[in-house]
Every structure is written in structure tokens, then in C-alpha cells.
Amino acid sequence: MSGTEKSKNGSQHRVMLPGHTTIGILGGGQLGRMLTLAGTAMGYRFITLDPAKDAPCGQVARQIEAGYADEGAALELARQCDVITYEFENVDAGVAALLERESYVPQGSSLLYTTQHRLREKRAIEAAGVRVAPYREITSADTMQAAVGELGVPCVLKTVTGGYDGKGQRVIRDAAQALKAYEELAATGAELVLEQFIKFDCEISVVVARSTAGEIKTFPPAENIHVNNILHASIVPARVPADIQLEAQKLAAAVAESMEAVGLLAVEMFVAADGRLYVNELAPRPHNSGHYTMEACATSQFEQHIRAICGLPLGDTTLLSPVVMVNVLGEHLEPVIERTGAPDGDAIELGVIPKLHIYGKTEAKTGRKMGHVNLLCHDVEEGLQWIEQTTIWRNTNS
Ligand code: ATP
Ligand code: MG
């Protein structure tokens, strides 16, 4: 593509070189912080927009302190930056349109529009020729009853917008529970979708990057363990057969290509007992399940995102070492810090190298993501054993 030629989603290919380029990030949480740390090492400057004083990203970048839907602040960000990205998907539509008009947003807004809405997202995944769990749009108590009959139980009712960490979902194990679940979620005012419950062997995710030049690279699939609907650990290589891993990478690339995504796209999937893959959700941003790449891959997901949006060649995604990433929630923070303040006999014995990342959040609330540890190991079972032996995550281990 030449200088300013536009692709289907309106994005353009421009090469944004370090030294001359300030990158604006909508959102100032840990994802923005890690993007900034990676991009700063590459010579880029960063400004974040976030309402929270002293946001994790604001500690390492300049910060405009304002709400995400504040159009005046968004305009200020557009004026001060050469290229704009975001670290969360629920970007206000008005702000997205304004930024596209006033600045350079290589990711465009069509991917946001699609991934902000589960039904649109499922249709886009299907359009890429990729399987999702059978689903029905739910618009009334009657369509709900009919859909439960068609899809069978168990099934899961979800709000189409605004859900995260399992919020806005009801699992229906018995047709008698259907109406109550419908009434509860319909009361939120959100549109609803009913999905067949996939009896999966495990959950995996693939982070794929597509650059403004159309180059695509996938990271190795991560096997994800959730506890209380929050990601607890990611295991790489995933403990699934090599052909399924390859298939997972291929279909993530197919989705990114079909949607003409720019930047990172995290593709969450279920691996069913028969080896079939079902895509559950997409996230058009760095993903918690991709944090393992920071030390375990030749290029981290954060560097890759910067490369993709700045029109640089994508980095090598080779896995350098088996790794287990474990999240550090508020309740784990103190013991983790204590543990890493002294020589770690267990780690030495197991041959595990723990690499600690803490996000700089001032308040350590229970269940709040405060950081993560990447455990570089010879075999993922040793990393898992280290987690067990520390007992720090014992009450959350599944
Ligand atoms: P997050 O944004 O934190 O990933 P979310 O609230 O958007 O979560 P989902 O990813 O849709 O929600 O679902 C959360 C979890 O619930 C999944 O990781 C999976 O374990 C389970 N789940 C969701 N849908 C299904 C399904 N159709 N079949 C089986 N399990 C499901
Ligand atoms: Mg999910």
C-alpha cells in the first residue's frame, strides 16, 4: 500500500519512526503502562488520557487527566500526538469518531464497533469462516424459551455489551431456570445472546498482530486457567496437541485478516473434547493472556502492537522458553513482594526463574489485578509446581 492509501476499515499505512513520534493512549491502566514501557525502549514518546490521578500509565508517560468521554480532552490528546491507540475496547463512539477525524488512528473504529457487541463480534468471526458456539439473539421471554429448546441445556445467557470477568452472564443448567435468568439480565436493559455451553477440555488464546502494511504474526497459544472468572494463569506451550495449536494460530490469523484488524487482536477459544476449536471472544488490544511474551518471546505483545500501529515490520514471535504467567491480585501482592525479596530456594531447586511485574496501583483491593509473575522454566509443570509450593495462590488455585 502506498503512503496514505486507505484499507477497508479506513486505516492507512504510514511509517511512524521513533524520535519523531508521540503515541497517545486512551486509557491509563496496566496495559497502557506496559505499552509505554515497551515503546519507550524503542524511542517513542507517550501521552495517556485517563481520569484517575497517578494512573499506572501516567507514572511512566505524560497524562491528560480527564474522563474517557471528555471530547475536549480527546481533542487535546489528538493535538499533542501523532498516532492514537487505546488499551480498552469500550471507547466512547463520539470520542472514537473525533479522534479519527482529528488525528491518526491506524486501528480505525470499525474493529471497536464490532468487538463492543457480542452479536456483531460472532457474526464477524463466522464471516472469517471460524466456528463460534451455536447462539441465538434473545429479544423476549418467548425467544428465550424457544432458544433454550433449540440449543439445549446447559447454555449461557450473556449481555451483548458491557460484560467483563464473567459479569452479565447466567449459566442455565435446567430449562426451568431460563425465565429467571432472562428476567434478571433483561432488567439491565442490555441486548442479550444465548450460547450453547461448550464442554471444553481447556481454554486457550492466541494473540495475533496485523500491521498497517497488512503483515500478520501470531504468538504461540496460551492455555488459560480462570478462577472466579478472572484469569489466574497462562501456560505456554499450551498442553494441547501441536496440530490444534497450529490450527488455533491459523484461525486467529484468519479472523485478523478478514476483519482487517490493525494492532493486536486477542482471540479466546475453547478446545472441545473432540479437538474442535470455538472462538469465544475477541479483544482488540494487548491481553492478560499475552503477558507471558514479555520475557518468553523474542518480541513482547506490547512491542508488537507498537510495531503494528507504527507500520514497522513485525517482530519475531518465537517462544524462547516454556513459561507460566500467574496473576498477582490484591490479596497476593504482599506475599509475592515478600517472596521475591529473599533468595527463592524453591525456584532454584525447580530451575524456575520468576520475573515480577507490578503495575504501580496504589490501592491493593482483593481481586484487583496488581501485577503478574512470568515463570520461565524448563517445563511448564515446574512453573505450576512453584506456584503450588509458594502457597500464595492456594485458596485461588483450581
Ligand atoms: P472476560 O472479558 O474476562 O474474558 P467475559 O465476561 O467477557 O470475560 P466470557 O469470556 O464470554 O466473558 O466468558 C467468561 C468465561 O465463562 C469463559 O472464559 C468460559 O470459561 C465461560 N464461558 C463463557 N461462555 C461459554 C460457553 N458458551 N461455553 C462454555 N463456557 C463458557
Ligand atoms: Mg473472556
Side-chain angles (χ1 to χ4, degrees):
M1 248 189 285
S2 71
T4 55
E5 192 183 327
K6 283 203 169 192
S7 71
K8 182 166 85 181
N9 71 2
S11 74
Q12 302 165 353
H13 177 49
R14 287 188 211 166
V15 178
M16 311 294 289
L17 292 175
H20 309 279
T21 304
T22 300
I23 300 175
I25 306 178
L26 211 51
Q30 65 263 24
L31 300 177
R33 179 186 175 100
M34 290 185 276
L35 276 174
T36 299
L37 292 172
T40 301
M42 299 163 74
Y44 292 97
R45 290 164 224 256
F46 288 85
I47 305 178
T48 179
L49 189 158
D50 195 280
K53 200 175 175 56
D54 199 30
C57 184
Q59 297 167 20
V60 295
R62 274 165 57 206
Q63 181 177 347
I64 297 173
E65 217 179 283
Y68 304 129
D70 181 333
E71 297 201 354
L75 199 58
E76 190 55 35
L77 187 73
R79 287 214 184 100
Q80 293 187 30
C81 297
D82 306 295
V83 49
I84 307 251
T85 185
Y86 46 82
E87 59 139 34
F88 59 88
E89 53 264 58
N90 286 316
V91 177
D92 177 86
V95 164
L98 179 148
L99 290 174
E100 275 198 290
R101 200 170 58 237
E102 301 292 335
S103 186
Y104 173 51
V105 187
Q107 290 163 275
S109 58
S110 76
L111 190 61
L112 280 175
Y113 178 77
T114 305
T115 54
Q116 281 172 352
H117 190 280
R118 286 189 196 273
L119 279 166
R120 290 199 286 262
E121 182 173 275
K122 287 178 193 304
R123 289 174 192 134
I125 295 164
E126 289 176 311
V130 172
R131 194 181 293 115
V132 296
Y135 66 94
R136 297 284 185 277
E137 184 175 358
I138 303 300
T139 51
S140 64
D142 286 348
T143 53
M144 177 70 185
Q145 294 289 12
V148 172
E150 284 164 23
L151 298 179
V153 286
C155 52
V156 48
L157 184 67
K158 301 182 181 180
T159 57
V160 159
T161 49
Y164 66 97
D165 291 345
K167 292 182 176 66
Q169 299 197 10
R170 295 288 182 281
V171 177
I172 295 152
R173 304 198 177 278
D174 180 321
Q177 301 170 332
L179 203 58
K180 183 166 174 277
Y182 169 75
E183 280 167 358
E184 281 172 12
L185 290 189
T188 65
E191 292 172 61
L192 303 174
V193 60
L194 186 73
E195 294 174 20
Q196 196 170 77
F197 197 86
I198 304 299
K199 291 183 193 78
F200 54 77
D201 273 357
C202 70
E203 293 187 75
I204 61 172
S205 56
V206 173
V207 175
V208 54
R210 184 172 176 278
S211 76
T212 54
E215 189 189 3
I216 293 184
K217 280 203 171 144
T218 54
F219 285 99
E223 175 185 342
N224 298 323
I225 314 287
H226 296 94
V227 174
N228 299 327
N229 286 311
I230 297 176
L231 184 67
H232 164 55
S234 292
I235 300 165
V236 190
R239 295 168 297 179
V240 300
D243 57 332
I244 295 180
Q245 296 200 34
L246 199 63
E247 175 70 15
Q249 284 171 286
K250 274 195 194 149
L251 64 83
V255 171
E257 173 77 55
S258 161
M259 295 173 88
E260 291 195 356
V262 167
L264 294 182
L265 184 68
V267 184
E268 296 181 12
M269 305 172 216
F270 303 133
V271 184
D274 61 4
R276 283 188 191 206
L277 293 170
Y278 294 82
V279 170
N280 173 36
E281 287 199 289
L282 307 177
R285 54 169 171 78
H287 199 253
N288 195 166
S289 70
H291 291 357
Y292 80 85
T293 59
M294 294 174 86
E295 281 95 11
C297 287
T299 305
S300 76
Q301 64 167 343
F302 301 102
E303 176 179 343
Q304 197 75 309
H305 183 70
I306 303 294
R307 290 183 162 277
I309 63 169
C310 290
L312 306 184
L314 295 179
D316 178 6
T317 56
T318 304
L319 186 69
L320 303 175
S321 163
V323 59
V324 178
M325 189 272 334
V326 60
N327 268 337
V328 175
L329 303 182
E331 62 271 34
H332 308 132
L333 185 63
E334 247 187 59
V336 165
I337 301 271
E338 218 168 279
R339 175 100 194 176
T340 47
D344 186 335
D346 289 332
I348 294 164
E349 203 165 299
L350 290 164
V352 167
I353 303 174
K355 302 293 287 185
L356 181 65
H357 299 266
I358 299 296
Y359 308 145
K361 298 180 187 177
T362 40
E363 221 188 319
K365 288 188 209 148
T366 300
R368 186 176 197 204
K369 288 177 185 173
M370 302 301 290
H372 68 271
V373 186
N374 283 337
L375 300 159
L376 301 176
C377 37
H378 301 291
D379 186 297
V380 295
E381 299 305 329
E382 290 157 358
L384 292 168
Q385 202 176 328
W386 181 88
I387 294 172
E388 184 59 33
Q389 284 181 9
T390 64
T391 72
I392 295 169
W393 290 271
R394 190 149 279 177
N395 52 354
T396 56
N397 274 348
S398 54

